[in-house]
Amino acid sequence: MKRVQLSHGGGGQEMNQLITSLFFRHLGNDILLRNEDAAVLNCQGEIAMTTDCFTVSPLFFAGGNIGKLAVAGTVNDLAMMGAEPQYLSCGFIIEEGLLLDELEAIVISMAEELKVSGAKIVCGDTKVVPKGCADGLFINTTGIGHIRQSGISAHNVQPGDAILVSRDIGCHGACVLSARESLKLVNPIESDCATLWPVINTCFEQKIPIHSLRDATRGGISAVLNEWCETSHVQLVLEDKAIAVSDDVMGVCELFGFEPYDLANEGTFIMAVSADAAEDALAILTQFSEHAAIVGYATQDSPHKTILNSPWGSRRYLDFPNGELLPRIC
Amino acid sequence: MKRVQLSHGGGGQEMNQLITSLFFRHLGNDILLRNEDAAVLNCQGEIAMTTDCFTVSPLFFAGGNIGKLAVAGTVNDLAMMGAEPQYLSCGFIIEEGLLLDELEAIVISMAEELKVSGAKIVCGDTKVVPKGCADGLFINTTGIGHIRQSGISAHNVQPGDAILVSRDIGCHGACVLSARESLKLVNPIESDCATLWPVINTCFEQKIPIHSLRDATRGGISAVLNEWCETSHVQLVLEDKAIAVSDDVMGVCELFGFEPYDLANEGTFIMAVSADAAEDALAILTQFSEHAAIVGYATQDSPHKTILNSPWGSRRYLDFPNGELLPRIC
């Protein structure tokens, strides 16, 4: 079982060999293979740029691994700004002793996930730190891409807009939590980790007048909805029962005292769209998940908070998540 | 003494507060303060993109810290491709327990160093991992910028080109090494960590016909020179005595058995330039360091290796650095 050694990060022959035999082999393309200090790209007009560090533990989980997560996460952040994911950078911080087979499996997942959006990794960096100075592997991916539909912004939710959720929530958080606690579930919960570009691209092609889009990662849908209330100065009124949560995720939440609204997702987004286009948007989202739903509306009422209506007529604020949530979820 | 807690990376209120009171406060600009999933930028034409992870230990050293290093390192990689450093992303992986004062000092250094080139941080990400899962702080910076002088490439060293080194070599490596070994030197060695855009920009303004440029970071000038031999199919013949090494750096090398050519630099570059422009280039470089020098020439001879001529008439190959060099140098 070969393992990553410190010399693989030293800038000498061993590093060159690792880069060639692993990263270039699986992720290679014309731009990356130039192997310069920086990639040269052609860009015209408005582009979006986003960055994410991934520190998820464990590195492998049901439905994905840190590599798939890193590609999907950054591609999704671009898509959420109306941008076509085009070019990604990739930085690896590797703990000495990581199995090379594991690293290769992760890199292969990245290559697979890139195919979903057509984005390319165009530059990279590899650092190896001594055993005990990191925990297995951390990945940074930074992405850029042309903006295909401009004006989509967390500042742009309009009173009257319909709020849609793209699928059932909380799967990634519940999956990582149960993997880490070694829960033996009858049906293991799979992460929702996925590249969202196909569904977003379909919305763009069909000219859905999207006002805001955000994938509900750390902090779950609670964090996104509350941010929108603050940045767009709206109140969001949602129907609890319209937001899909699987029985398995609900079970994990009850066991650990979490709310599904606070759990991280990695392939689930919230959309704000003109009410008159809500049904068209829902029709597209439903092609990708049967649990997509219109979950509520934005109003101009005060306070600028998110209100959840329960099926039995009560209402409560859905607050920002607070305190120590599960760390190393992404 | 306040410290970073896990909740500072949770995606909730505590994280928002850290971002606002620390990152936005010191690094804020119009684009960053939009606080979207991705920054929106305007680009026309050829741009360069580069990424680097920084894992240096210790976090603070003579002449800089990990924050200054992260900004200078990425800005320099852009400059080395002929690009004006414009937009940077910044990802922090923080170990729980890092002193907030230390983090702030690092962020302030980043803000200071950005002023040298005029680049801006336009998007960021913060992750906090539990104590023991990282070592203090890791930073990723990814940069993009318009290419001001195209064609500069590691593939473009021409037979006949003069090879210049911008200053005395090995300071960063020797500085970090002596800090880590707690060497008590009469004159502490200062890292050369610096943004190289001002000197490179002056070369562009004066239309120096640069063929290749590279900052000699990990692997030192040995790694750069050997890479050029391979990618440009040239032999490089250098005069040992023309390459400046301070007595202090030479002392550390003798103590630990390193070659100064293999030691990392963080503000030192190698340039290949048409021989007839070599004196003009040197005149510019000398404005920034009295130790800048023309150190040799490229030829079309085989083998495509770097040859060092010693002052007493012997010659030897300068090979790629090999094996375990000092880890966590950058």
Side-chain angles (χ1 to χ4, degrees):
Chain A
M1 305 286 267
K2 287 193 185 163
R3 292 178 183 274
V4 176
Q5 298 168 12
L6 282 176
S7 57
H8 284 122
Q13 273 177 328
E14 292 86 345
M15 192 173 90
N16 284 352
Q17 208 180 354
L18 180 74
I19 290 174
T20 310
S21 66
L22 188 59
F23 299 124
F24 284 3
R25 181 164 155 229
H26 295 297
L27 301 172
N29 56 64
D30 287 359
I31 304 169
L32 185 66
L33 294 176
R34 294 279 301 173
N35 198 15
E36 302 270 9
D37 257 8
V40 178
L41 313 170
N42 260 298
C43 285
Q44 301 297 338
E46 267 192 339
I47 67 166
M49 180 177 191
T50 187
T51 192
D52 256 309
C53 295
F54 294 87
T55 62
V56 66
S57 169
L59 296 177
F60 294 84
F61 47 81
N65 61 48
I66 189 173
K68 178 178 179 182
L69 193 63
V71 169
T74 291
V75 158
N76 289 347
D77 280 350
L78 290 173
M80 295 301 124
M81 285 297 289
E84 180 178 344
Q86 294 182 289
Y87 305 117
L88 265 56
S89 69
C90 183
F92 292 92
I93 298 174
I94 308 172
E95 185 189 13
E96 178 191 17
L98 181 71
L99 286 173
L100 274 169
D101 283 350
E102 286 194 351
L103 182 59
E104 182 160 33
I106 288 164
V107 172
I108 289 171
S109 289
M110 297 180 80
E112 287 298 313
E113 197 62 20
L114 285 164
K115 288 183 194 159
V116 182
S117 65
K120 289 175 183 176
I121 287 179
V122 295
C123 55
D125 185 43
T126 310
K127 293 281 153 64
V128 181
V129 296
K131 208 159 174 56
C133 293
D135 187 18
L137 174 66
F138 301 143
I139 298 179
N140 174 283
T141 39
T142 302
I144 62 175
H146 285 108
I147 293 184
R148 287 266 303 276
Q149 186 161 326
S150 64
I152 296 174
S153 158
H155 298 72
N156 197 28
V157 184
Q158 308 289 332
D161 277 359
I163 307 298
L164 285 78
V165 175
S166 68
R167 55 165 288 169
D168 55 310
I169 62 169
C171 293
H172 182 72
C175 161
V176 170
L177 182 61
S178 51
R180 216 170 315 156
E181 301 292 331
S182 305
L183 276 193
K184 301 265 180 270
L185 300 175
V186 182
N187 306 308
I189 298 171
E190 269 211 5
S191 166
D192 57 325
C193 176
T195 291
L196 295 168
W197 177 242
V199 53
I200 299 298
N201 191 30
T202 308
C203 291
F204 292 165
E205 282 171 355
Q206 299 200 17
K207 307 211 183 305
I208 302 294
I210 300 170
H211 292 156
S212 302
L213 265 181
R214 190 150 295 190
D215 53 339
T217 55
R218 262 184 303 179
I221 70 166
S222 309
V224 176
L225 295 165
N226 277 287
E227 245 183 88
W228 283 3
C229 290
E230 287 184 3
T231 48
S232 291
H233 312 294
V234 289
Q235 186 175 95
L236 299 175
V237 183
L238 310 186
E239 300 303 317
D240 196 344
K241 70 174 189 303
I243 304 169
V245 186
S246 74
D247 289 347
D248 294 328
V249 169
M250 196 52 96
V252 167
C253 281
E254 283 167 4
L255 203 55
F256 290 95
F258 284 109
E259 283 221 82
Y261 314 109
D262 293 353
L263 287 186
N265 309 273
E266 288 294 342
T268 303
F269 64 89
I270 322 272
M271 177 189 283
V273 66
S274 309
D276 54 9
E279 289 298 335
D280 290 346
L282 181 61
I284 296 170
L285 268 51
T286 307
Q287 292 168 30
F288 293 84
S289 166
E290 56 177 329
H291 298 297
I294 299 169
V295 301
Y297 290 88
T299 76
Q300 54 192 345
D301 295 346
S302 284
H304 297 149
K305 289 192 160 196
T306 300
I307 291 169
L308 262 188
N309 290 329
S310 81
W312 43 88
S314 65
R315 33 191 292 155
R316 65 174 175 114
Y317 291 130
L318 181 67
D319 281 320
F320 258 117
N322 236 309
E324 257 178 54
L325 289 166
L326 191 62
R328 303 192 58 194
I329 199 76
C330 57
Chain B
M1 304 287 265
K2 286 192 184 165
R3 293 179 183 271
V4 176
Q5 297 168 11
L6 283 176
S7 58
H8 285 123
Q13 272 177 329
E14 291 87 346
M15 190 172 92
N16 284 353
Q17 208 179 354
L18 180 74
I19 290 174
T20 310
S21 67
L22 188 59
F23 300 124
F24 284 2
R25 181 166 154 225
H26 295 296
L27 302 171
N29 56 62
D30 287 358
I31 303 169
L32 186 66
L33 294 176
R34 295 279 301 172
N35 196 15
E36 301 271 9
D37 257 6
V40 178
L41 314 170
N42 261 297
C43 285
Q44 300 296 337
E46 267 191 340
I47 67 166
M49 180 177 190
T50 187
T51 192
D52 256 310
C53 295
F54 295 86
T55 62
V56 67
S57 168
L59 296 177
F60 294 84
F61 47 82
N65 61 47
I66 189 172
K68 178 178 180 183
L69 193 63
V71 168
T74 290
V75 158
N76 289 348
D77 280 349
L78 290 173
M80 294 302 124
M81 286 296 289
E84 179 179 345
Q86 294 181 289
Y87 305 116
L88 266 56
S89 70
C90 183
F92 293 92
I93 297 174
I94 308 171
E95 185 189 14
E96 177 191 16
L98 181 71
L99 286 172
L100 273 168
D101 284 350
E102 287 194 351
L103 182 59
E104 183 160 32
I106 288 164
V107 172
I108 289 170
S109 289
M110 297 181 80
E112 286 299 312
E113 197 62 21
L114 285 164
K115 288 182 195 157
V116 182
S117 65
K120 289 175 182 175
I121 288 180
V122 295
C123 55
D125 185 43
T126 310
K127 294 280 153 68
V128 181
V129 297
K131 207 157 177 57
C133 293
D135 187 19
L137 174 66
F138 301 143
I139 297 179
N140 174 282
T141 40
T142 302
I144 64 175
H146 284 110
I147 293 184
R148 287 266 302 276
Q149 186 160 329
S150 63
I152 296 174
S153 160
H155 298 73
N156 198 29
V157 185
Q158 309 287 333
D161 277 0
I163 307 297
L164 284 78
V165 176
S166 68
R167 55 165 288 168
D168 55 311
I169 62 169
C171 294
H172 182 72
C175 161
V176 171
L177 182 61
S178 51
R180 218 172 313 158
E181 302 291 332
S182 305
L183 276 193
K184 301 266 178 269
L185 301 174
V186 182
N187 305 309
I189 299 172
E190 269 212 3
S191 168
D192 58 327
C193 177
T195 291
L196 295 168
W197 177 241
V199 53
I200 299 298
N201 191 30
T202 308
C203 291
F204 293 165
E205 281 170 357
Q206 299 198 20
K207 307 213 184 302
I208 303 294
I210 300 169
H211 292 156
S212 301
L213 265 181
R214 189 149 301 189
D215 52 338
T217 55
R218 262 185 303 179
I221 71 166
S222 309
V224 175
L225 295 165
N226 277 287
E227 244 183 271
W228 283 2
C229 290
E230 287 184 2
T231 48
S232 291
H233 312 294
V234 290
Q235 186 175 95
L236 299 175
V237 183
L238 310 187
E239 300 305 317
D240 197 345
K241 69 173 190 304
I243 303 169
V245 185
S246 75
D247 290 346
D248 293 329
V249 169
M250 196 53 96
V252 168
C253 281
E254 283 167 5
L255 203 55
F256 290 95
F258 285 110
E259 285 222 81
Y261 314 110
D262 293 353
L263 287 187
N265 309 274
E266 289 294 342
T268 303
F269 63 90
I270 323 271
M271 178 189 283
V273 67
S274 310
D276 54 9
E279 289 298 335
D280 290 345
L282 181 61
I284 296 170
L285 268 50
T286 306
Q287 292 168 30
F288 293 85
S289 166
E290 55 178 328
H291 298 296
I294 299 169
V295 300
Y297 290 88
T299 77
Q300 54 194 344
D301 296 345
S302 285
H304 297 147
K305 289 193 160 196
T306 300
I307 291 169
L308 262 188
N309 290 331
S310 82
W312 41 91
S314 65
R315 30 192 292 152
R316 66 173 174 113
Y317 291 130
L318 181 67
D319 281 320
F320 257 117
N322 237 309
E324 256 178 55
L325 290 166
L326 191 63
R328 303 191 57 195
I329 199 76
C330 57

